[in-house]
């Protein structure tokens, strides 16, 4: 008798194994239709992990079976792949499975989670499914069933019988990789992490991508990236990205590769590589500080010219906290304000067209356009530094709310010089309260543009500029309407 699947829906009926054809290249694949909810499926227990848990932590638990009555027939929800990309994301959902026998990946996921087979095939196409030969260590807050299952599938006697992990350390065998083929065979004991509701980017389908191309060279393409898009994709969605859609627009046989990143909510110059060789070269130029990046930032307050220095907390999640004082182990963040000029505050019509979040900040007569030379390139650096000096970027819901809180009560910032603490525990609690004062990551554009990029290589200095930033548009006619 086959062992039950160690999943959140292990009592669902089993299907016969059958090959899954690879999903065709559809312009709007992986549409999460409301039809998915129109046909009831057995209730399942969600993963115990928080949707906001970082990638390293989300790979650390295995879902347990929900006690449900198995239906007599397998009735998948209706699924129409050709529906438009939804404007709103589904609630984040991550499921963790362990195959208890040799399985076909798509068949196992479809059966265990009660998902339509084509839906699972699209999840795999989007890069939303990961596997590891051995299940990772559950987090401390996991249930006793998690730990029991982990011990069962990682018993030395069990691991010794698995040919796929011979010669590997446990840590090597626990490394996760993307499942790239729905027909991939899973060995008994293989761990899966399934991002059932990937983050979506409907803006990708609204853009005329050819008009966003600044330059096409032998080794690279320079793109004027639109806001509300991802340069190279996310952990759970590598399909809806600037690299993929630009490759299609240009008719390239080999997909473009990312060489650097800018935030999803920002716009401007991005260099995409045609070859691995150029990617390696460009990464080397960045390390050697041979790449110059200039930004335009639309702020709520004037900023003095000169170099601004902060130190960023070395935690790989938002919000990024910065301190004026040097703290051991924190990253140096420096940017040079080259110019700051007074400009009109964006009109209500412009803000509506570009879906700008006012974040509760009152409209002013004027805003300020800062020209910035980025000296170090840390994630969210410009946004965090400007907010820290009381000049947050317009529309930046992640940092503007914290800036307003600090203006109302300067002592709320635990990294400020005004506060003293009696213990590390007290300071840690203050840090958590400070994090809570930040808002959510913007879903649309903010007042930040990567306006220019240039680099020195083999005696040449290519230089490229982005188009006019959204806040300086003469009219509201845009591809957003």
């Amino acid at each position: 008798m086959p062992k039950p699947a160690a999943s959140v829906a292990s009592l669902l009926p089993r299907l016969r194994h059958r090959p899954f054809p690879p999903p065709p290249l559809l312009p709007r694949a992986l549409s999460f239709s409301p039809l998915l909810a129109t046909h009831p499926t057995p209730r399942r227990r969600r993963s115990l992990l928080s949707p906001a848990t970082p990638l390293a932590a989300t790979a650390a638990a295995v879902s347990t079976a929900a006690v449900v009555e198995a239906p007599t027939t397998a009735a998948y929800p209706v699924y129409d792949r050709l529906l438009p990309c939804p404007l709103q994301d589904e609630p984040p959902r991550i499921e963790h499975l362990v195959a208890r026998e040799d399985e076909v990946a798509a068949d196992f996921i479809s059966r265990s989670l009660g998902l339509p087979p084509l839906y699972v095939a699209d999840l795999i196409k989007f890069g939303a499914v990961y596997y590891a030969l051995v299940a990772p260590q559950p987090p401390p807050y996991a249930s006793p069933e998690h730990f029991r299952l982990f011990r069962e599938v990682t018993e030395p006697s069990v691991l010794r019988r698995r040919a796929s992990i011979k010669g590997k350390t446990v840590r090597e065998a626990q490394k996760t990789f993307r499942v790239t083929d729905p027909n991939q065979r899973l060995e008994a004991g293989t761990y899966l992490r399934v991002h059932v509701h990937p983050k979506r980017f409907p803006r990708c389908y609204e853009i005329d991508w050819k008009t966003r191309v600044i330059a096409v060279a032998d080794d690279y393409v320079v793109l004027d990236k639109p806001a509300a898009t991802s340069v190279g994709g996310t952990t759970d969605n590598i399909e809806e990205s600037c690299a993929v859609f630009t490759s299609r627009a240009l008719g390239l046989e080999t997909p473009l590769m990312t060489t650097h990143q800018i935030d999803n909510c920002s716009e401007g110059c991005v260099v995409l590589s045609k070859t691995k060789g150029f990617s390696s070269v460009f990464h080397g130029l960045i390390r050697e500080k041979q790449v110059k990046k200039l930004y335009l930032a639309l702020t709520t307050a004037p900023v003095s010219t000169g170099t601004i220095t902060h130190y960023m907390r070395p935690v790989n999640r938002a919000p990024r906290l910065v301190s004026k004082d040097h703290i051991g182990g924190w990253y140096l963040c420096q940017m040079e304000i080259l110019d700051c000029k007074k400009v009109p505050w964006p009109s209500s019509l412009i803000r509506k067209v570009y879906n700008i979040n006012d974040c509760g900040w009152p409209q002013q007569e004027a805003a300020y356009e800062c020209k910035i030379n980025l000296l170090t390139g840390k994630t969210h650096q410009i946004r965090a530094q400007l907010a820290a000096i009381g000049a947050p970027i317009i529309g930046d819901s992640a940092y503007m709310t914290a800036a307003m809180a600090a203006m109302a009560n300067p002592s709320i910032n635990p990294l400020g010089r005004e506060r003293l603490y009696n213990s590390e525990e007290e300071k840690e609690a203050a840090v958590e309260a400070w994090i809570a004062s930040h808002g959510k990551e913007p879903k649309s554009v903010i007042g930040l543009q990567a306006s220019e990029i240039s680099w020195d290589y083999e005696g040449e200095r290519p230089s490229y500029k982005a188009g006019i930033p959204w806040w300086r548009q003469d009219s509201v006619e845009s591809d957003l309407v």
Side-chain angles (χ1 to χ4, degrees):
M1 178 178 296
K3 296 180 181 179
S7 72
V8 294
S10 65
L11 299 183
L12 293 176
R14 290 179 172 271
L15 304 178
R16 63 181 178 84
H17 285 175
R18 62 202 180 286
F20 282 72
L25 183 63
L26 297 175
R28 301 196 177 193
L30 196 57
S31 299
F32 291 83
S33 164
L35 293 174
L36 280 172
T38 61
H39 295 268
T41 54
R43 296 186 61 185
R44 297 178 295 276
R45 182 184 301 170
R46 291 288 179 87
S47 166
L48 298 182
L49 295 178
S50 164
T53 306
L55 177 60
T58 58
V62 181
S63 297
T64 56
V67 180
V68 296
E69 183 178 352
T72 56
T73 59
Y76 289 115
V78 175
Y79 177 52
D80 189 335
R81 294 149 59 96
L82 297 177
L83 288 176
C85 177
L87 297 179
Q88 300 294 329
D89 283 332
E90 294 285 336
R93 175 184 170 191
I94 302 173
E95 300 285 359
H96 305 264
L97 315 175
V98 169
R100 306 305 300 278
E101 59 182 13
D102 292 352
E103 298 267 9
V104 173
D107 193 7
F108 174 58
I109 297 168
S110 181
R111 182 186 70 250
S112 299
L113 300 181
L115 298 174
L118 289 179
Y119 189 90
V120 175
D122 279 344
L123 286 178
I124 292 173
K125 176 180 173 59
F126 265 50
V129 180
Y130 292 78
Y131 78 95
L133 296 175
V134 174
Q137 172 76 38
Y141 51 81
S143 68
E145 175 65 14
H146 282 86
F147 285 101
R148 185 200 64 75
L149 184 60
F150 173 76
R151 288 192 297 269
E152 179 182 331
V153 299
T154 58
E155 278 287 334
S157 60
V158 174
L159 296 180
R160 279 195 294 270
R161 293 196 298 267
R162 295 184 56 189
S164 62
I165 63 175
K166 285 185 177 179
K168 294 183 174 66
T169 64
V170 172
R171 179 169 294 184
E172 290 172 340
Q174 289 175 330
K175 186 175 181 181
T176 56
F177 301 90
R178 276 193 170 98
V179 174
T180 58
D181 182 359
N183 293 317
Q184 179 174 325
R185 299 291 302 185
L186 304 177
E187 184 183 47
T190 300
Y191 161 84
L192 289 175
R193 186 178 79 243
V194 184
H195 297 254
V196 182
H197 296 154
K199 179 177 176 59
R200 303 302 302 278
F201 294 92
R203 185 84 171 92
C204 287
Y205 303 100
E206 303 167 357
I207 299 294
D208 180 354
W209 288 92
K210 284 188 176 180
T211 66
R212 306 294 301 203
V213 175
I214 299 172
V216 178
D218 291 340
D219 296 323
Y220 60 87
V221 172
V222 183
L223 180 72
D224 189 352
K225 173 193 172 297
T229 62
S230 170
V231 176
T234 60
T235 299
D236 53 12
N237 186 345
I238 57 175
E239 178 72 12
E240 292 171 340
S241 69
C242 293
V244 169
F245 276 74
T246 304
S247 300
R248 291 176 183 167
L250 297 177
L252 301 178
E253 294 182 1
T254 303
L256 293 166
M257 294 167 276
T258 59
T259 61
H260 63 110
Q261 297 282 345
I262 62 175
D263 294 341
N264 294 349
C265 55
S266 60
E267 60 183 12
C269 295
V270 169
V271 178
L272 301 171
S273 176
K274 290 183 175 180
T275 66
K276 291 183 178 180
F278 181 79
S279 291
S280 178
V281 168
F282 201 83
H283 291 155
L285 294 176
I286 292 176
R287 286 193 301 271
E288 296 166 6
K289 301 188 181 302
Q290 297 299 309
V291 179
K292 184 175 183 180
K293 302 176 186 177
L294 298 183
Y295 285 78
L296 294 177
L298 188 67
T299 64
T300 59
V303 182
S304 300
T305 57
T307 300
I308 299 176
T309 300
H310 286 91
Y311 297 88
M312 181 177 288
R313 186 175 71 147
V315 175
N316 189 29
R317 70 171 183 268
R320 310 291 170 145
L321 305 186
V322 295
S323 169
K324 292 181 181 179
D325 297 323
H326 176 267
I327 299 177
W330 286 36
Y331 302 134
L332 173 67
C333 292
Q334 288 185 316
M335 61 183 184
E336 181 184 8
I337 308 298
L338 301 175
D339 186 31
C340 183
K341 60 183 180 182
K342 191 175 182 179
V343 297
W345 190 270
S347 69
S348 59
L349 190 55
I350 286 286
R351 297 199 308 274
K352 181 178 179 180
V353 167
Y354 287 94
N355 194 26
I356 306 302
N357 188 344
D358 64 17
C359 310
W361 192 284
Q363 181 171 340
Q364 302 173 180
E365 179 181 344
Y368 299 86
E369 183 181 279
C370 302
K371 187 174 185 179
I372 300 170
N373 178 21
L374 191 61
L375 302 178
T376 57
K378 303 302 179 186
T379 303
H380 292 195
Q381 177 185 328
I382 295 176
R383 299 162 60 189
Q385 286 195 270
L386 288 174
I389 62 173
I393 292 173
I394 290 176
D396 192 353
S397 54
Y399 294 92
M400 183 176 273
T401 54
M404 289 190 291
M407 290 175 188
N409 177 17
S411 65
I412 192 175
N413 184 352
L415 306 176
R417 294 170 178 171
E418 297 84 0
R419 295 191 65 172
L420 297 176
Y421 299 94
N422 296 321
S423 66
E424 283 299 317
E425 290 77 11
E426 182 183 350
K427 183 173 183 179
E428 188 61 33
V431 169
E432 292 303 319
W434 176 232
I435 290 173
S437 72
H438 290 69
K440 294 183 178 180
E441 186 67 7
K443 292 186 176 181
S444 57
V445 66
I446 66 173
L448 183 62
Q449 183 197 59
S451 60
E452 300 178 40
I453 190 167
S454 59
W455 60 90
D456 292 312
Y457 181 61
E458 294 184 343
E460 298 183 357
R461 186 171 180 80
S463 181
Y464 303 96
K465 292 185 178 182
I468 299 173
W470 63 266
W471 60 87
R472 276 204 258 134
Q473 298 291 335
D474 294 330
S475 71
V476 298
E477 294 180 3
S478 75
D479 55 6
L480 283 172
V481 179

